[in-house]
Amino acid sequence: MARMDAIVALDIETTGLDSQRDAIIEIGAVRFKDHRVEAEWDTLIHPGCRIPPFITQLTGITDQMVLKAPPIEIALPELVQFVGDAPILGHNIDFDISFFKKFGFFKHNTLLDTYEMASVLLPTASRYGLGALAQELGVPYEERHRALGDAHTTRRVFLRLIDLALELPINLLAEIIRLGEGVEWNGYYPFRLVMRHRSGELVRAEDVKHAYQGPLFSAKSPRGIEPLRPVENPTPLNVEEISALLEPGGDFARHFPNYEYRREQIQMLKGVAQALSKGEHLIVEAGTGTGKSMAYLIPAAMWALQNQRRVVISTNTINLQDQLINKDIPDLRQALNLKLRATVLKGRSNYLCPRRLEHLRRRGPGSAEEMRVLAKVLVWLLDTSTGDRSELNLNNSAERWVWMRISAEDEGCTTENCLKKGGICPYYRVRQEALGAHLIIVNHALLLTDVAMNNRLLPDFDYLIIDEAHHMEEATTNALSYQVTYADVQRLTQQLGSPKHGILGSLLNAAEHHLDALQFASLNEHIQILTDKAFRFEQRAQQFFNAVAEFLAEQRKGEEIGMYAQQVRITPAIRTQPAWFEVETSWEETELSAKPLLEMLAKLVQGVGEILSRLPEEDEELFSGLSNIYRRLTEFHDQIGALVFKPDKGKIYWMQVNQTGNHLSLNIAPLHIGNLMERYIWHEKTSVIMTSATLTTAGAFDYLRGRLKAEEAIELSVGSPFDYETAALLYLVDDIPEPNDRQGHQRELERGLVQLCRATGGRTLVLFTSYDQLRRTSRAIQPILAKEDILVFEQGEGASPHSLLETFRITERAVLLGTRAFWEGIDVPGEALSVLVIAKLPFDVPSDPIIAARAETFEDPFYEYSLPEAILRFRQGFGRLIRTQHDRGVVAIMDRRILAKKYGQYFIDSLPRCTLQIGHLADLPRFAARWLNL
């Protein structure tokens, strides 16, 4: 343990998150030196206002408790005396200190932050919340959300993180300290402490240069993998022979002791094998429990091996990709003794670029975010062998922006450049693996982005399997959408810099040694003018975004934004409003400043390209950096020019500002993706198989066919092997107010959930369509169920959906409240999830710009668009309950529209045949307990 001077760990509880409007209600501080606690100080604070109920629920601090507590002005002098000039430690310490700085205190104390430390030392941790870190590091976490308890936990986490820092290679530690000098970063001081402890160790300059070397850089290049050599005339698969692999007594039954024969799985396998053999397109819906992954993997693997033809498998979620590459494909190899090569291929931005990392490392970080990400990546490189960003926790948009600057998402990142680095580029390596792989696993976004870019990302392929196909339209829409904020524009101009900093400054420094005096003077003058034009453009862009903000404010007619973000779709009617004229005028001025800037940038990019061979290798990044800025600014100019003046009929345009009004974005999305699917998928590929558990509405594929232009595909629907009539009770509540009676529905929902969860002892997942209703429900039922020792877990309270699900899974008496992330893709077999409640039928918000625009393309928008979409999501939600042959549970629908509206029967008809019970809300707990044999 590093010897250190006294440090004060500090934590506060507050009435909210805004240091200017909210107030402190409790302060806790612990002075410690090494592992020894020297003193404690804590007090409740009278905030001068009522404590919000959810804060009381979170902390246990009530209005009554602070009634006789001192106000902050009385308590502060004693705290200041306790702290003195000692360094102050906290978790997200800037938040705590912001509440004191308005009183003029702690402006000069050194700040230490366990969040910053953990971000670097635990680069792959799923969460950096205090409780999550305590669990990760094995330190006790008592009295959560009480100031003194949290201060002690912060102290313990800090000491464990110091121990981890002590284990870093000395050269890497020296590198982090060198990079952190001159940057305002609350993680710097702890690393200095550790270095002081290890000051006797020798740090050689030549070793620091290679401080980040690890498995990634020592792994061999896959250049030895032979690319596939397709058979000229493919041989059809022997369908019966392949089917026999899954029959009782077949290879799978012999290899897996607990193997279960499923007739539906073999039915699907035969359909896929025939589609591949005949070069046909197939849409196949496979019910829960079918084992669809293996039903398409077996024929895909056999086809690829037999004919040396690669098969691409596209999924929507990372979880399914991980399942395929880490479990299903290894199982397939072992069971059938196959020499099958498979790899996961992602978009370029997912992979680290060693060349761009080296450039940032030499230039040094210019902000706390850059420093945090750079140090995080250097520590991560001690262990990673992939360079895949999915291993990293990039915690916010600022960190993700920094990652983009060191990723392979760069025109200068080419195979040739990778080879100069010895083939160590992660993207180059996985590309080489893909060339020799029989199966390539991608996600939907990469698949459609690739076809839209004329196959620049994936190797050529003719055979495609799309799993989780019900997400195809949404994923493609997201991949082909454009969003921009003023902050994005500002980052680009700041990154461009001036003659003294940024890319332009680095370019001048590099060119000074490689150009004659006349050439250098000309370049210097060009950059001076370019800097001025960039400054003018940034000012005009700011004025343009201000004009958009004023337009949005006028649309609100002076009212607050409210609970949800304000979204205004830019329609012909909007463009005729007088206020829109101000937006157009402001954009014209922005465009006038953008054109000369882009012209000068283009000339500079061309000029640097011409002298690139005369620059040192390490300065090649300047060219790619300039190229990226030019490309992004050109994209901004073209996209927003279309949004304001030249809208494309095939695009959706809208403006959006968040609830607090501090994040305004302009957005563009494709109106249809079906034409893209038709042109690049159905007409280009020899065989396409689309599959999911939910592709039909009311038993028909018509809706999906229309959305994805899948008219030529053969249909196949295989049911679930589960006996839903025995396993699932579907309870339709007939006396709850409809959702349009907001207060009445909410009141009865809360009452019904409390009674139901009491009767079942928790074990319940409640699915909501809005986070607002989820939060209101949580606040209402949590304190009541707590008295019954039933815990309520709420999506959005810091924990990731995955960790929240794991906690729910292992907690005996628990209720989990979730929104969209929990309607599909979660798997909790057994009694841990015995009751599923659907609060409302999952209709999309009709005012959402994409929903509204697409609805207008139908003659009957509700029945042809809104209803089918809701049914597909409803079926996904229903599928969370019964996950194995032995599961038994209750699905309760708390939306009377399923009975009162004529469209309700479509929802019921889309489900497997269950035991159906229609009844009153008051009777639900009794029926549920009886069904579960409680």
Side-chain angles (χ1 to χ4, degrees):
M1 170 65 213
R3 302 290 297 176
M4 62 183 74
D5 298 328
I7 296 171
V8 174
L10 177 70
D11 189 80
I12 61 175
E13 302 300 332
T14 66
T15 58
L17 302 178
D18 189 327
S19 63
Q20 299 305 309
R21 293 188 300 181
D22 295 310
I24 296 173
I25 57 176
E26 188 178 38
I27 305 173
V30 181
R31 184 187 297 115
F32 66 99
K33 191 171 184 179
D34 299 326
H35 285 274
R36 187 178 75 255
V37 173
E38 294 185 334
E40 297 178 350
W41 187 92
D42 72 305
T43 183
L44 290 168
I45 301 291
H46 194 296
C49 61
R50 298 293 300 272
I51 300 174
F54 73 95
I55 294 294
T56 294
Q57 183 181 317
L58 184 69
T59 64
I61 301 173
T62 64
D63 290 320
Q64 187 69 26
M65 291 170 63
V66 300
L67 201 58
K68 296 182 180 180
I72 187 67
E73 293 82 1
I74 300 298
L76 264 178
E78 190 177 337
L79 174 65
V80 171
Q81 185 177 1
F82 180 85
V83 174
D85 60 358
I88 300 175
L89 169 70
H91 193 73
N92 284 315
I93 187 62
D94 284 338
F95 170 80
D96 301 76
I97 293 299
S98 67
F99 279 82
F100 296 110
K101 280 189 174 178
K102 62 184 177 183
F103 297 102
F105 295 115
F106 305 134
K107 289 183 177 179
H108 304 295
N109 294 71
T110 298
L111 301 181
L112 297 78
D113 197 332
T114 44
Y115 167 80
E116 297 285 351
M117 296 173 65
S119 294
V120 172
L121 294 165
L122 300 169
T124 61
S126 60
R127 292 183 292 150
Y128 294 127
L130 186 60
L133 287 177
Q135 184 177 3
E136 173 93 10
L137 297 169
V139 303
Y141 188 13
E142 300 153 3
E143 278 201 298
R144 293 175 181 235
H145 301 299
R146 292 302 300 267
L148 187 60
D150 282 353
H152 271 297
T153 303
T154 302
R155 173 184 63 86
R156 297 184 188 108
V157 166
F158 170 77
L159 294 172
R160 281 290 296 118
L161 290 171
I162 288 288
D163 289 341
L164 292 180
L166 284 165
E167 297 172 6
L168 290 177
I170 187 66
N171 301 314
L172 176 54
L173 184 60
E175 177 77 345
I176 291 173
I177 291 169
R178 180 188 70 80
L179 291 167
E181 290 173 351
V183 179
E184 285 192 25
W185 178 50
N186 294 334
Y188 179 70
Y189 186 75
F191 288 102
R192 284 301 301 263
L193 282 176
V194 173
M195 185 54 117
R196 190 169 67 189
H197 176 76
R198 298 177 62 179
S199 59
E201 297 181 45
L202 180 64
V203 183
R204 299 183 304 176
E206 60 269 27
D207 290 337
V208 171
K209 183 179 179 182
H210 301 290
Y212 56 88
Q213 298 283 22
L216 177 67
F217 297 93
S218 59
K220 292 182 179 180
S221 169
R223 278 173 286 180
I225 295 178
E226 279 289 319
L228 297 184
R229 302 186 185 280
V231 174
E232 188 172 343
N233 297 308
T235 306
L237 294 172
N238 186 322
V239 176
E240 294 305 320
E241 189 177 290
I242 294 176
S243 300
L245 299 172
L246 294 178
E247 295 283 354
D251 286 17
F252 270 74
R254 288 195 296 271
H255 187 78
F256 299 108
N258 299 319
Y259 174 75
E260 292 181 1
Y261 166 75
R262 284 164 282 189
R263 179 178 54 82
E264 294 82 1
Q265 187 179 40
I266 291 181
Q267 190 180 357
M268 177 176 170
L269 179 147
K270 287 182 176 180
V272 173
Q274 288 170 353
L276 291 171
S277 296
K278 296 180 179 180
E280 296 173 335
H281 301 323
L282 172 69
I283 304 177
V284 53
E285 180 177 86
T288 304
T290 299
K292 63 181 171 60
S293 298
M294 205 58 79
Y296 64 68
L297 278 177
I298 292 173
M302 294 302 192
W303 176 261
L305 286 164
Q306 182 171 298
N307 296 294
Q308 290 294 291
R309 302 280 182 120
R310 67 177 59 90
V311 178
V312 170
I313 301 171
S314 182
T315 76
N316 185 60
T317 61
I318 292 173
N319 286 344
L320 181 53
Q321 286 189 349
D322 289 344
Q323 176 191 314
L324 292 174
I325 200 70
N326 296 321
K327 182 183 183 300
D328 293 344
I329 291 175
D331 283 348
L332 178 60
R333 283 196 195 103
Q334 292 176 16
L336 304 182
N337 192 27
L338 299 177
K339 292 183 178 179
L340 179 72
R341 297 191 296 270
T343 191
V344 174
L345 184 59
K346 303 178 182 179
R348 299 182 70 122
S349 63
N350 289 278
Y351 301 98
L352 179 72
C353 175
R355 175 179 55 83
R356 301 183 83 194
L357 170 66
E358 176 66 13
H359 176 76
L360 179 59
R361 180 178 164 269
R362 284 188 297 103
R363 178 177 66 79
S367 65
E369 286 76 18
E370 281 193 352
M371 180 62 220
R372 185 189 313 123
V373 173
L374 187 50
K376 182 198 297 270
V377 167
L378 294 179
V379 173
W380 171 57
L381 287 176
L382 293 173
D383 298 309
T384 183
S385 59
T386 67
D388 185 341
R389 65 150 283 181
S390 66
E391 298 176 359
L392 278 175
N393 184 342
L394 298 174
N395 217 29
N396 54 48
S397 58
E399 289 192 3
R400 291 188 285 273
W401 177 266
V402 177
W403 169 266
M404 290 302 292
R405 294 172 59 189
I406 59 174
S407 77
E409 183 68 24
D410 171 27
E411 291 180 358
C413 185
T414 63
T415 302
E416 291 74 20
N417 282 335
C418 290
L419 287 172
K420 288 179 184 177
K421 295 281 182 181
I424 58 175
C425 171
Y427 178 70
Y428 165 77
R429 188 173 287 159
V430 76
R431 277 280 299 178
Q432 288 297 104
E433 290 175 359
L435 288 172
H438 300 101
L439 304 180
I440 301 175
I441 301 168
V442 301
N443 64 24
H444 297 346
L446 177 63
L447 173 67
L448 267 295
T449 303
D450 177 64
V451 298
M453 295 175 66
N454 298 315
N455 300 95
R456 288 169 54 188
L457 303 173
L458 299 177
D460 291 337
F461 67 97
D462 294 311
Y463 299 88
L464 171 65
I465 296 172
I466 302 174
D467 200 347
E468 300 177 312
H470 61 286
H471 273 301
M472 199 65 192
E473 183 173 36
E474 180 186 24
T476 307
T477 299
N478 292 338
L480 301 181
S481 293
Y482 177 76
Q483 181 185 83
V484 68
T485 67
Y486 170 66
D488 296 330
V489 177
Q490 191 177 40
R491 282 193 196 100
L492 289 172
T493 56
Q494 289 176 351
Q495 190 179 343
L496 184 62
S498 71
K500 293 186 177 180
H501 74 278
I503 290 178
L504 295 180
S506 299
L507 179 60
L508 269 183
N509 289 335
E512 189 172 10
H513 306 291
H514 302 281
L515 299 179
D516 60 39
L518 189 62
Q519 289 173 322
F520 180 76
S522 175
L523 177 63
N524 187 30
E525 182 182 4
H526 190 93
I527 286 177
Q528 295 283 357
I529 297 172
L530 182 61
T531 301
D532 180 62
K533 292 190 181 300
F535 176 72
R536 290 173 185 271
F537 164 72
E538 185 182 315
Q539 284 186 313
R540 295 285 188 240
Q542 184 176 29
Q543 291 168 6
F544 168 67
F545 277 95
N546 289 341
V548 174
E550 290 171 10
F551 179 84
L552 287 169
E554 181 165 311
Q555 298 298 302
R556 298 194 300 271
K557 296 180 170 53
E559 296 181 4
E560 294 293 321
I561 295 175
M563 196 172 298
Y564 300 102
Q566 179 191 10
Q567 296 177 317
V568 174
R569 185 169 146 234
I570 307 172
T571 61
I574 286 288
R575 297 177 190 278
T576 63
Q577 295 186 15
W580 182 254
F581 178 73
E582 296 299 325
V583 175
E584 291 180 341
T585 301
S586 184
W587 175 251
E588 284 178 333
E589 294 174 353
T590 306
E591 200 167 28
L592 283 174
S593 65
K595 285 182 178 178
L597 171 64
L598 291 173
E599 287 171 2
M600 290 200 71
L601 258 179
K603 289 179 182 177
L604 186 60
V605 169
Q606 182 182 354
V608 173
E610 290 172 357
I611 66 167
L612 196 61
S613 60
R614 293 156 60 184
L615 295 177
E617 183 182 321
E618 57 266 23
D619 289 321
E620 290 178 359
E621 170 66 19
L622 297 173
F623 176 73
S624 62
L626 275 175
S627 299
N628 280 337
I629 291 174
Y630 174 72
R631 177 169 53 84
R632 291 179 184 275
L633 287 176
T634 300
E635 184 180 32
F636 170 73
H637 172 268
D638 295 346
Q639 294 278 18
I640 304 307
L643 179 145
V644 177
F645 282 120
K646 301 175 182 177
D648 181 337
K649 290 182 180 180
K651 299 286 180 67
I652 306 163
Y653 302 91
W654 74 98
M655 304 165 281
Q656 180 171 315
V657 63
N658 66 354
Q659 300 94 318
T660 57
N662 59 7
H663 187 273
L664 187 154
S665 65
L666 298 171
N667 305 267
I668 306 173
L671 179 60
H672 298 292
I673 67 109
N675 293 334
L676 192 69
M677 288 286 297
E678 183 177 44
R679 179 179 176 185
Y680 293 106
I681 297 296
W682 303 117
H683 289 175
E684 288 290 324
K685 306 305 174 188
T686 303
S687 177
V688 179
I689 292 105
M690 296 182 66
T691 184
S692 167
T694 52
L695 294 178
T696 62
T697 56
F701 288 92
D702 297 356
Y703 174 70
L704 189 86
R705 278 186 180 278
R707 297 307 297 163
L708 300 181
K709 298 280 188 181
E711 283 82 3
E712 299 174 12
I714 298 168
E715 296 177 3
L716 174 62
S717 182
V718 298
S720 170
F722 299 157
D723 181 2
Y724 279 95
E725 202 160 5
T726 302
L729 171 67
L730 178 63
Y731 193 98
L732 309 181
V733 178
D734 63 3
D735 62 346
I736 191 170
E738 290 187 20
N740 58 6
D741 178 1
R742 188 177 175 187
Q743 291 185 343
H745 180 268
Q746 182 64 26
R747 182 179 61 250
E748 291 303 294
L749 173 67
E750 292 165 3
R751 184 175 69 85
L753 285 176
V754 167
Q755 298 302 323
L756 175 63
C757 295
R758 278 174 173 165
T760 61
R763 303 192 296 173
T764 300
L765 169 64
V766 189
L767 296 176
F768 294 85
T769 58
S770 79
Y771 182 62
D772 171 55
Q773 187 184 28
L774 180 154
R775 192 167 45 192
R776 283 187 284 122
T777 305
S778 177
R779 291 173 186 171
I781 71 174
Q782 201 168 53
I784 301 172
L785 291 177
K787 296 176 182 177
E788 309 281 338
D789 294 323
I790 298 173
L791 296 177
V792 176
F793 298 113
E794 172 186 340
Q795 182 186 351
E797 283 297 301
S800 68
H802 174 74
S803 59
L804 204 58
L805 189 66
E806 288 305 306
T807 306
F808 170 73
R809 197 194 307 266
I810 62 175
T811 304
E812 188 172 343
R813 292 168 65 83
V815 179
L816 177 57
L817 312 183
T819 54
R820 189 158 190 169
F822 288 92
W823 279 81
E824 61 179 289
I826 68 168
D827 193 7
V828 185
E831 293 184 354
L833 175 51
S834 298
V835 181
L836 174 74
V837 177
I838 294 178
K840 290 182 186 177
L841 298 177
F843 287 103
D844 284 315
V845 179
S847 60
D848 178 275
I850 294 177
I851 302 301
R854 287 177 174 166
E856 290 173 2
T857 65
F858 292 89
E859 289 185 14
D860 187 341
F862 180 78
Y863 276 96
E864 294 177 21
Y865 180 56
S866 299
L867 182 60
E869 284 288 331
I871 289 173
L872 289 174
R873 195 168 299 126
F874 179 76
R875 294 185 62 205
Q876 283 289 336
F878 173 87
R880 297 315 96 210
L881 185 66
I882 305 299
R883 306 302 298 173
T884 73
Q885 294 274 17
H886 310 290
D887 284 353
R888 185 176 174 85
V890 177
V891 179
I893 311 300
M894 301 285 203
D895 189 338
R896 194 161 61 90
R897 290 177 296 178
I898 200 168
L899 295 169
K901 305 295 183 182
K902 63 179 182 179
Y903 60 73
Q905 192 63 39
Y906 288 106
F907 286 93
I908 298 170
D909 291 345
S910 293
L911 298 179
R913 184 182 295 276
C914 306
T915 296
L916 178 64
Q917 179 69 47
I918 300 172
H920 296 342
L921 183 62
D923 297 328
L924 172 59
R926 177 169 53 86
F927 275 97
R930 182 188 303 166
W931 184 262
L932 298 173
N933 299 317
L934 298 176

